[in-house]
Amino acid sequence: MAATRFGIGQPVRRVEDQRFLTGQGRYLDDIDFEGQLRARILRSPYAHAEIRGIDVTAAAAVPGVAAVLTGAEVAADGLGDIPPGALVTNRDGSANYVPSRPALARERVRFVGEPVALVLAESLEAARDAVEQIVVDYAELPPVVATEEALGPEAPQIYPEAPNNLCMDWEKGDEAATEAAFAAAARVVALDHVNSRVVVNPIEPRGCIGLWDPEREGYTLYNAGQAVHGIARMLATAVFKTTPDKLRVISPDVGGGFGTKNFVYPELALVLWAARRLGRPVKWIAERTEGFVSDTQGRDHVMRAELALAADGRFLALRVTSTANVGAYVSTFGAMIPTNPVAVVLGGVYDIPAVHYRVKGVFTNTVPVDAYRGAGRPEASYAIERLVDLAALQLGVDPLELRRRNFIKPEAMPYTTGVGSVLDCGEFERILDRVLETSEQAGFAARRRESEGRGRLRGRGFACYFEATLGQPREKTEVRFEEDGGVTVLAGTMSNGQGHETTYAQILHQRLGLDFERIRFQQGDTGQIAVGGGHGGSRSMQLGGSALLAAADIIEEKAKRLAGHLFEAAPADIELAEGACRVVGTDLKISLPELARIARDPARLPAGIEPGLDALGGYERQANTFPNGAHVAEVEIDPETGAVRLVAYHVVDDFGTLLNPMITAGQVHGGVAQGVGQALLEQTVFDRESGQLLSGSFMDYCMPRADDLPAIEVVFEPVPTATNPLGVKGCGEAGCIGALPAVMNAVVDALAPYGIRHLDMPATPERVWNAIRAASRAAE
């Protein structure tokens, strides 16, 4: 079908924005049930302590309180532990250690914010009052919070079963080949760096509502989340020891997630358990301060990256070792994120024959760490792109020239990387050339002189990245024809701001010619959608979109058979165009909605055809896709204060087929903003003696605002992939992956006159000012 106003590739405005902008969105806190109780959670004020006793007498006596529950009741009712969703295999073949994580702490607490007791009351005010009346006898223990201090016998030991606080010891790549290449190298460049921890802070806090139906002996969970099927399965089987069909999970509109709403948390189990125990709905909404100490956090790697080079500057090998903080417990994907998601893109867009990556995950007395936008790929991109700039500096060559010298060439595709990833396509040098053009590379020297005339340092940073789309490898999408003539797409993926209502409708409109404005979208309900992989890894269009195409293929094949039967023509003589089946060469036609109405009547169907025109399409990923691109950032630094201002930002991306360039650009803008936040502003600080989170509010933790960002120019240079029917590569996380190294390379470039060769994130005024002063003193 030819492209139309609403078809694939068109910048269609997001249809969901109409209800969001007019206050018609339906978020978790908009939902209430008759007779519901409000829940509040008493959280540990200590990072590490024994619980000697809990006295809830005064709390239970507060007017309006229905119950005060502790870990003793959790154990008595036989609830299982909060489960991990993915484990990894250590380099010696053993499984990583997973400690027990009860929904309410019993004998010991292991991070500030861990749930200790649950209050259920008629009102939120009564619940808050009661929480303050609970008395817990804690015996404080020494904590360990710093990633670099956790590994070893001298650190406080969090679990006896995990000596040296080691959660996992994982590797990928050819260690022998890598070591041989380093031994033969003309030069080795090394970079020790920290990929700093971030607090995710989606605009909508986490929340959930639990309901119990005694007649069907089943649960219903409303969750402000990013997945429903996986959460239903893990809660049902691990916590409640039942089958997934007994636990329905519904996610309404979600106000941002970025990974942190993808996981199984204690609160989800608690509201369901309390609803069953008390026979009433139970609602919990996190306050912002709770989110700081209970939402999973992101990144937190201490890394050493080493690059072996030949005399002519060709890359021979890459060796990366990392210590990754998993926090006090293994979150849903917490053990996996520092492993393969980092390794799969290690080495970036460069021809590096030998690569080896080893990571040790460590337990600390901090909030658990899990996936955050990019989930491992920003860490890998940051390591190689900072290392390439450092190598160029040490070799005395232009960083752009060093990149060109080592790019994987288009004629080398398909290309197998040093860790086994198979890239099917990519034109990395062309992408770099385009971003240099759009960002006016030729005029940078003049812009730098102008900045210097105002007493400012100006720097320009580059980052060439590629990422791999990950997540669950299978997906199903259903198309359902409704009685009123509309069509509903039921997706197993999960949008939390990505615009799926619009892009799925564009695909179906393009493929079948159905009226765009009559296409509806449904997601996030295990009671309506049988299977689904949810959100994560920029997977939705590659898998969910391809499954939608498969459903459309089924519909077309059946529609042609039905139309042929009605018109007494062979199916081969039926064409599908503009949402109708037509007998070729005649004016005989019937619309798909009308054909669907007829198809519901078995009496009007030919033998061997099931009633209805609805279809369920499936798709299984056979290969990863590899979005890629180039970022250019320019910064100005005030050397008197250390303040960094991002003054220009340009991106050229290859996302394969563009379904909606407007939505795609918005995804890039959001990702860049989060990357800029980590690079320049956001800093998670724990007190190393007490384990207290010192950056526990927006007074202490700096989130990026509109005035921290320039206009972000995004240009697309698509190279469609043949690995899926749509030719898409994914876009949701790419902005964040390129932004970290681009911004920090620009900062270091601006500081080059002082001889500064590296600065860890975030480049706050204090950190930059101290670096300038230290370099100035050293030069005296």
Side-chain angles (χ1 to χ4, degrees):
M1 175 181 173
T4 69
R5 174 187 171 194
F6 297 108
I8 290 175
Q10 299 302 306
V12 180
R13 289 185 179 274
R14 299 192 341 165
V15 296
E16 51 267 65
D17 288 347
Q18 176 68 25
R19 70 171 189 277
F20 294 154
L21 295 175
T22 57
Q24 302 302 307
R26 186 170 184 258
Y27 297 93
L28 195 285
D29 204 24
D30 295 321
I31 300 172
D32 291 297
F33 290 92
E34 183 178 354
Q36 76 181 9
L37 296 168
R38 296 302 301 262
R40 294 297 298 165
I41 295 170
L42 175 71
R43 299 184 181 275
S44 170
Y46 296 105
H48 200 194
E50 292 181 357
I51 299 177
R52 293 178 171 174
I54 303 176
D55 185 353
V56 302
T57 306
V62 171
V65 169
V68 182
L69 305 174
T70 68
E73 286 80 24
V74 170
D77 283 3
L79 264 67
D81 290 334
I82 304 302
L87 305 180
V88 299
T89 301
N90 292 318
R91 61 200 301 260
D92 65 2
S94 62
N96 73 278
Y97 175 67
V98 180
S100 297
R101 185 184 186 184
L104 292 174
R106 291 193 283 272
E107 299 168 352
R108 182 172 293 198
V109 290
R110 294 180 173 87
F111 68 94
V112 173
E114 182 168 3
V116 174
L118 176 69
V119 172
L120 302 151
E122 302 294 340
S123 68
L124 188 57
E125 293 73 21
R128 286 174 174 157
D129 289 344
V131 163
E132 295 179 358
Q133 300 299 317
I134 300 172
V135 178
V136 183
D137 182 9
Y138 293 104
E140 194 171 0
L141 298 168
V144 57
V145 298
T147 306
E148 66 273 19
E149 296 177 357
L151 194 62
E154 68 283 355
Q157 300 295 294
I158 302 175
Y159 299 104
E161 302 86 352
N164 304 319
N165 295 317
L166 184 66
C167 173
M168 80 273 189
D169 183 358
W170 188 91
E171 68 177 348
K172 190 167 187 176
D174 190 330
E175 183 175 18
T178 302
E179 295 303 320
F182 269 88
R187 180 183 291 269
V188 172
V189 179
L191 178 66
D192 294 306
H193 65 280
V194 174
N195 204 293
S196 49
R197 180 184 280 229
V198 291
V199 178
V200 179
N201 281 316
I203 191 170
E204 178 202 24
R206 286 193 300 118
C208 49
I209 304 172
L211 299 95
W212 166 252
D213 183 347
E215 292 186 7
R216 71 177 183 93
E217 295 187 336
Y219 304 87
T220 299
L221 174 69
Y222 285 80
N223 180 36
Q226 296 174 244
V228 290
H229 294 89
I231 286 175
R233 182 181 64 256
M234 287 188 282
L235 282 173
T237 57
V239 177
F240 294 103
K241 314 296 175 62
T242 188
T243 55
D245 63 292
K246 292 292 187 180
L247 203 161
R248 181 181 182 183
V249 177
I250 301 170
S251 282
D253 290 326
V254 179
F258 315 115
T260 199
K261 292 181 182 175
N262 234 348
F263 316 127
V264 176
Y265 286 93
E267 294 87 357
L268 305 183
L270 291 175
V271 296
L272 292 170
W273 169 59
R276 184 186 69 187
R277 187 180 176 98
L278 277 70
R280 296 173 63 180
V282 174
K283 181 176 184 177
W284 171 79
I285 302 291
E287 295 183 350
R288 182 62 65 182
T289 51
E290 277 189 289
F292 270 92
V293 296
S294 66
D295 293 357
T296 61
Q297 297 174 358
R299 315 288 189 235
D300 205 340
H301 290 234
V302 177
M303 305 181 85
R304 180 174 179 82
E306 300 169 280
L307 185 64
L309 298 94
D312 63 359
R314 287 182 300 107
F315 300 162
L316 301 176
L318 175 66
R319 180 170 58 206
V320 179
T321 57
S322 176
T323 303
N325 196 335
V326 301
Y329 297 97
V330 176
S331 180
T332 304
F333 304 115
M336 180 193 69
I337 295 303
T339 60
N340 196 61
V342 177
V344 72
V345 297
L346 210 57
V349 297
Y350 307 108
D351 182 3
I352 307 179
V355 178
H356 184 252
Y357 173 57
R358 183 177 180 184
V359 56
K360 293 182 178 181
V362 295
F363 292 111
T364 61
N365 295 112
T366 63
V367 182
V369 177
D370 210 313
Y372 171 61
R373 198 168 193 167
R377 284 94 81 208
E379 293 90 317
S381 175
Y382 185 79
I384 186 63
E385 287 301 297
R386 282 293 300 121
L387 197 55
V388 170
D389 259 32
L390 185 60
L393 192 64
Q394 294 190 14
L395 290 171
V397 302
D398 185 282
L400 294 173
E401 170 56 29
L402 189 60
R403 285 175 168 84
R404 293 184 194 278
R405 198 176 300 177
N406 287 281
F407 278 143
I408 302 165
K409 307 301 182 187
E411 56 268 24
M413 303 293 180
Y415 174 89
T416 302
T417 71
V419 289
S421 298
V422 180
L423 281 67
D424 66 300
C425 63
E427 299 182 17
F428 309 132
E429 188 166 12
R430 177 167 71 86
I431 297 293
L432 177 60
D433 288 341
R434 185 67 194 280
V435 81
L436 295 179
E437 174 192 334
T438 62
S439 64
E440 300 180 353
Q441 169 75 3
F444 176 66
R447 294 194 296 275
R448 173 173 269 174
R449 288 193 298 271
E450 190 277 331
S451 295
E452 289 171 349
R454 294 183 286 104
R456 299 292 188 266
L457 305 167
R458 195 176 187 107
R460 185 167 169 90
F462 311 96
C464 298
Y465 79 92
F466 88 91
E467 69 142 326
T469 52
L470 302 173
Q472 295 294 323
R474 288 169 292 277
E475 194 54 78
K476 291 192 175 181
T477 307
E478 183 179 357
V479 177
R480 186 179 297 165
F481 289 84
E482 306 294 355
E483 294 281 355
D484 65 359
V487 180
T488 300
V489 175
L490 296 97
T493 57
M494 185 74 199
S495 171
N496 54 103
Q498 295 92 329
H500 290 180
E501 292 184 41
T502 305
T503 49
Y504 274 91
Q506 286 182 260
I507 294 170
L508 194 60
H509 168 74
Q510 176 82 20
R511 178 64 181 81
L512 296 180
L514 293 164
D515 184 351
F516 178 83
E517 295 175 343
R518 300 296 302 276
I519 300 172
R520 303 159 188 154
F521 180 81
Q522 186 171 338
Q523 64 171 11
D525 185 347
T526 61
Q528 296 294 324
I529 300 163
V531 295
H535 164 86
S538 301
R539 68 185 291 276
S540 292
M541 288 304 108
Q542 179 191 2
L543 276 70
S546 295
L548 179 58
L549 283 185
D553 289 344
I554 296 170
I555 291 168
E556 179 176 12
E557 189 274 334
K558 188 173 184 179
K560 287 181 175 180
R561 291 178 63 191
L562 291 174
H565 174 69
L566 290 173
F567 295 135
E568 297 182 348
D573 293 330
I574 304 294
E575 66 175 358
L576 177 61
E578 299 179 351
C581 284
R582 181 194 312 270
V583 179
V584 176
T586 75
D587 59 359
L588 294 174
K589 69 176 183 178
I590 184 171
S591 71
L592 287 178
E594 176 63 17
L595 196 59
R597 186 184 65 78
I598 293 172
R600 296 188 189 100
D601 183 359
R604 303 188 67 178
L605 301 180
I609 292 186
E610 293 292 323
L613 198 57
D614 303 345
L616 177 65
Y619 181 78
E620 182 169 358
R621 182 176 63 221
Q622 300 300 317
N624 295 111
T625 65
F626 297 94
N628 62 88
H631 290 216
V632 178
E634 286 190 25
V635 301
E636 276 192 345
I637 297 177
D638 182 349
E640 296 301 317
T641 65
V644 180
R645 187 167 70 93
L646 185 64
V647 295
Y649 206 97
H650 295 262
V651 183
V652 174
D653 282 314
D654 165 20
F655 294 142
T657 301
L658 293 176
L659 299 182
N660 185 316
M662 182 188 299
I663 290 178
T664 304
Q667 287 291 295
V668 176
H669 289 166
V672 168
Q674 288 184 277
V676 170
Q678 183 179 354
L680 297 181
L681 304 168
E682 300 181 48
Q683 188 168 16
T684 308
V685 181
F686 291 93
D687 181 83
R688 296 198 176 196
E689 296 297 321
S690 67
Q692 295 294 326
L693 179 63
L694 302 182
S695 53
S697 74
F698 289 147
M699 294 293 290
D700 310 294
Y701 187 91
C702 187
M703 296 282 285
R705 302 182 302 183
D707 59 357
D708 293 311
L709 299 165
I712 301 169
E713 181 176 338
V714 181
V715 174
F716 300 114
E717 287 285 340
V719 181
T721 177
T723 60
N724 63 78
L726 282 168
V728 298
K729 293 183 178 178
C731 69
E733 295 164 301
C736 201
I737 294 167
L740 298 185
V743 172
M744 291 307 296
N745 281 343
V747 170
V748 174
D749 182 55
L751 297 174
Y754 294 95
I756 295 170
R757 294 190 169 191
H758 179 68
L759 195 70
D760 274 329
M761 299 181 287
T764 60
E766 177 189 21
R767 183 168 288 177
V768 174
W769 188 87
N770 283 330
I772 292 173
R773 293 300 172 272
S776 299
R777 287 194 298 271
E780 291 176 355

